[in-house]
Amino acid sequence: MTSHDVVVVGAGFSGLGMAARLRQMGIDDFVVLDRGNDLGGTWRDNSYPGAACDVPSNLYSFSFALNPNWTRSFPSQTEIWDYMRDCVDRFDVGGHLRFNHAVDEARWDDDTQRWALRAAGNVYEAPVVVWATGSLSEPSIPAFPGLADFRGKVFHSARWEHGYDLTGKRVCVVGTGASAIQFVPQIQPVVEHLYLHQRTPPWIVPRRDRKVSSLRRLLYRRLPVTQRLGRLRIYLTFEFLLSVFIGKGERRKGVVIKRALDHLKAQVPDESLRKKLTPRYEVGCKRLLLSDDYYPSLAQPNVEVVDAPVASFTAHEVVGQDGIARPVDVVILGTGFEAAEPPYAEHIVGRDGIRLSEWWKANGVEAYAGSSVAGFPNLFLMIGPNATLAHNSMIYMIESHINYIASALAFLRRPGVSTVEVKPVVQERFNESLQAKLEHSVWVEGGCGSWYLDHRGRNTTLWPDHTWKFRRLTRRFRPAQYTVRA
Ligand SMILES: Cc1cc2nc3c(=O)[nH]c(=O)nc-3n(C[C@H](O)[C@H](O)[C@H](O)COP(=O)(O)OP(=O)(O)OC[C@H]3O[C@@H](n4cnc5c(N)ncnc54)[C@H](O)[C@@H]3O)c2cc1C
């Protein structure tokens, strides 16, 4: 058993950003446990061809660690991963990272007022746990009948099999979300045939990725304020999108719809294909996507867009809900992640032996400020329920949580304070107001099923307001909203 002041679980942007702040606060006795064999989280796991961010990295990066060297406005996964390594060096947190440490249980002990975490055959104990395991880290694999009997290769986009050569293969891609639209154009030129099974065609607007010139990079290095102004411009542009989603921006919605439909028309001359690719739900109900090469790749002769979900698999075929069986060698699941009912809740056991997954099953997935849950003292989730975004950079939300948790830790270091636990009534009121806002949003009323919603149709994932309001909410820890024990 090893004892620490803080245990952080997860070494993605959240866990690493938190680690940097702990060092800045002078808290050096902490570890960051990650189940993977390296840091990076999302950017370690999603290495599929074409993987890149869809918020320009001038903003999709820490405000306290600007990178003047981005080579493109939407850099690739490898460049983002390198940036994360660079942050680890800059803030000297490498020595705190423990890889191949999957936490299978974190249990609160009310007698000792400490958490005990089981990982890699060891027990890590601490009064405070920061749970930063990500909202999009568990691949969602639908239970398709017959998939287990399929004799070809099957893999998820977040577990790309780089050793498997797709050249000349008949490939079935399931899904048309943010990952599929990035990898389909990359694999289309090499495969023999590509069947793209779609449930619903996404709304797509131009991406306009471009190289960052060496002159601009020099400017960013010499005059960092210019990069900060660039960040601000991107932030405001994305922030304006919110009105498209929460129902007050009819004019702006019209602009987005026109841009998307013009893009489709310009890139897909064939009318019948265009019909298949025309979205049938309200814009924004699912994530609005950015791409310049997805539509052109679908117009190639070796691609068939199957406008029918997958029904089942046989040993060598994929069978669509159109009743047609298509022979394939490999199935690539671009089926997204388990987000609305997060699987990590299985691992967390709070006061009186309550398991977070059971608590959420009974009461619905919720937290206060996306971080604290009643019954789970001194536990801080990062990007927990309703803290994900559909319209702006997640790093902004992550930094808000870093501020909040740092402020809570400072409070916990005061003499006579040993535990804080959010009051049930505070959590309840917070979520009532959140759900009231979500009720009439496009995410709930927009006529689509999405990963934002749980099995009851409740949105448990998205922050439904301006991100600066989340920043205001999390600016400092408010002890009055918590039961404080000595
Ligand atoms: C393909 C893809 C593209 C994206 N692009 C963007 C984008 O352009 N802009 C944007 O704002 N957001 C984007 N996102 C969202 C992205 O997930 C967040 O921006 C951010 O990277 C989340 O960081 P995180 O540290 O919270 O979680 P993650 O990056 O998911 O890291 C969580 C870590 O926790 C570890 N972990 C999980 N369970 C355990 C356990 N039980 N024990 C120990 N360790 C565990 C995992 O191994 C992982 O390393 C994208 C997501 C995906 C999947």
Side-chain angles (χ1 to χ4, degrees):
M1 165 152 11
T2 58
S3 280
H4 302 278
D5 289 342
V6 180
V7 173
V8 179
V9 186
F13 266 116
S14 295
L16 297 177
M18 193 69 234
R21 179 64 70 86
L22 289 175
R23 296 240 34 197
Q24 283 167 347
M25 291 174 78
I27 300 178
D28 285 324
D29 184 8
F30 70 91
V31 283
V32 182
L33 310 178
D34 199 292
R35 66 182 175 189
N37 60 3
D38 203 344
L39 59 88
T42 295
W43 303 102
R44 174 198 65 218
D45 292 342
N46 291 271
S47 60
Y48 55 79
C53 54
D54 56 13
V55 170
S57 269
N58 258 354
L59 183 63
Y60 190 68
S61 48
F62 289 125
S63 65
F64 54 84
L66 293 192
N67 174 17
N69 302 318
W70 296 118
T71 60
R72 310 196 65 82
S73 40
F74 296 93
S76 69
Q77 168 257 342
T78 46
E79 202 171 334
I80 299 168
W81 202 11
D82 285 346
Y83 165 76
M84 295 174 87
R85 287 184 212 289
D86 181 54
C87 288
V88 164
D89 293 343
R90 265 203 241 187
F91 297 100
D92 195 18
V93 294
H96 297 263
L97 308 182
R98 306 281 180 275
F99 300 126
N100 302 307
H101 274 61
V103 175
D104 55 33
E105 187 177 272
R107 183 176 283 270
W108 173 254
D109 182 335
D110 224 17
D111 295 332
T112 60
Q113 299 198 324
R114 292 173 85 79
W115 285 94
L117 293 90
R118 268 192 343 229
N122 202 347
V123 176
Y124 293 83
E125 235 196 38
V128 178
V129 166
V130 177
W131 193 269
T133 58
S135 53
L136 300 178
S137 60
E138 298 290 345
S140 162
I141 305 199
F144 293 120
L147 184 58
D149 304 321
F150 179 69
R151 291 268 184 277
K153 192 85 186 158
V154 182
F155 57 88
H156 188 277
S157 57
R159 304 285 182 270
W160 197 270
E161 299 232 1
H162 290 280
Y164 183 82
D165 187 4
L166 289 167
T167 309
K169 297 287 192 311
R170 295 164 302 175
V171 179
C172 162
V173 172
V174 186
T176 54
S179 299
I181 71 151
Q182 290 187 338
F183 70 74
V184 162
Q186 303 298 314
I187 64 172
Q188 173 274 320
V190 301
V191 305
E192 182 196 301
H193 204 90
L194 194 153
Y195 299 106
L196 176 68
H197 274 270
Q198 69 172 22
R199 273 195 304 194
T200 45
W203 285 94
I204 301 177
V205 290
R207 185 158 179 253
R208 305 214 172 96
D209 181 27
R210 57 187 163 70
K211 247 182 96 174
V212 181
S213 68
S214 46
L215 193 65
R216 185 176 287 267
R217 281 187 262 155
L218 183 69
L219 186 68
Y220 287 164
R221 273 197 292 275
R222 294 273 162 86
L223 269 178
V225 69
T226 55
Q227 191 169 24
R228 291 214 179 267
L229 286 172
R231 277 173 75 88
L232 181 65
R233 186 184 55 75
I234 301 163
Y235 173 77
L236 293 175
T237 309
F238 276 86
E239 204 56 28
F240 277 129
L241 262 183
L242 182 72
S243 61
V244 173
F245 304 144
I246 56 171
K248 283 177 270 173
E250 283 310 316
R251 197 186 61 79
R252 216 162 269 145
K253 192 181 281 186
V255 172
V256 175
I257 291 173
K258 183 170 179 329
R259 188 169 302 165
L261 294 180
D262 286 351
H263 187 47
L264 174 61
K265 199 166 177 188
Q267 293 203 315
V268 181
D270 179 271
E271 206 170 314
S272 70
L273 179 59
R274 209 162 59 223
K275 194 159 167 240
K276 278 188 197 172
L277 296 174
T278 303
R280 302 183 281 262
Y281 57 82
E282 250 188 84
V283 67
C285 183
K286 291 190 186 198
R287 195 175 173 83
L288 178 66
L289 305 180
L290 286 79
S291 176
D292 294 330
D293 52 5
Y294 177 66
Y295 287 145
S297 72
L298 301 187
Q300 299 309 309
N302 65 338
V303 178
E304 182 186 344
V305 177
V306 182
D307 198 15
V310 168
S312 61
F313 289 90
T314 68
H316 300 286
E317 296 159 322
V318 50
V319 184
Q321 284 185 12
D322 56 359
I324 300 175
R326 296 169 175 90
V328 291
D329 306 304
V330 51
V331 176
I332 307 178
L333 300 167
T335 43
F337 300 88
E338 300 286 352
E341 284 152 294
Y344 64 70
E346 268 304 312
H347 304 301
I348 304 175
V349 184
R351 206 163 30 75
D352 306 324
I354 312 165
R355 201 168 281 277
L356 185 55
S357 52
E358 293 303 321
W359 199 96
W360 278 349
K361 217 170 271 167
N363 303 283
V365 175
E366 61 170 49
Y368 170 69
S371 190
S372 300
V373 185
F376 296 81
N378 291 9
L379 171 75
F380 298 96
L381 306 175
M382 292 190 74
I383 313 301
N386 295 102
T388 299
L389 292 180
H391 74 285
N392 214 325
S393 169
M394 281 305 298
I395 307 295
Y396 186 89
M397 299 299 271
I398 289 170
E399 284 193 38
S400 301
H401 266 161
I402 292 173
N403 291 342
Y404 188 67
I405 297 167
S407 168
L409 286 171
F411 180 76
L412 276 162
R413 295 178 108 191
R414 288 188 191 176
V417 178
S418 60
T419 70
V420 293
E421 181 184 331
V422 69
K423 292 175 182 166
V425 64
V426 170
Q427 183 176 319
E428 198 178 308
R429 283 203 200 118
F430 175 81
N431 281 284
E432 271 168 15
S433 115
L434 198 83
Q435 288 301 328
K437 220 167 249 168
L438 281 160
E439 219 169 281
H440 299 297
S441 68
V442 69
W443 305 303
V444 173
E445 291 193 329
C448 75
S450 74
W451 59 262
Y452 302 146
L453 309 180
D454 70 4
H455 71 280
R456 303 177 229 201
R458 199 162 158 271
N459 189 321
T460 60
T461 52
L462 294 182
W463 172 248
D465 214 324
H466 287 289
T467 55
W468 52 264
K469 288 195 185 165
F470 190 79
R471 180 60 60 94
R472 198 174 57 191
L473 172 75
T474 51
R475 199 180 54 216
R476 62 185 174 78
F477 179 76
R478 293 179 179 80
Q481 285 155 336
Y482 286 72
T483 302
V484 179
R485 292 198 182 86

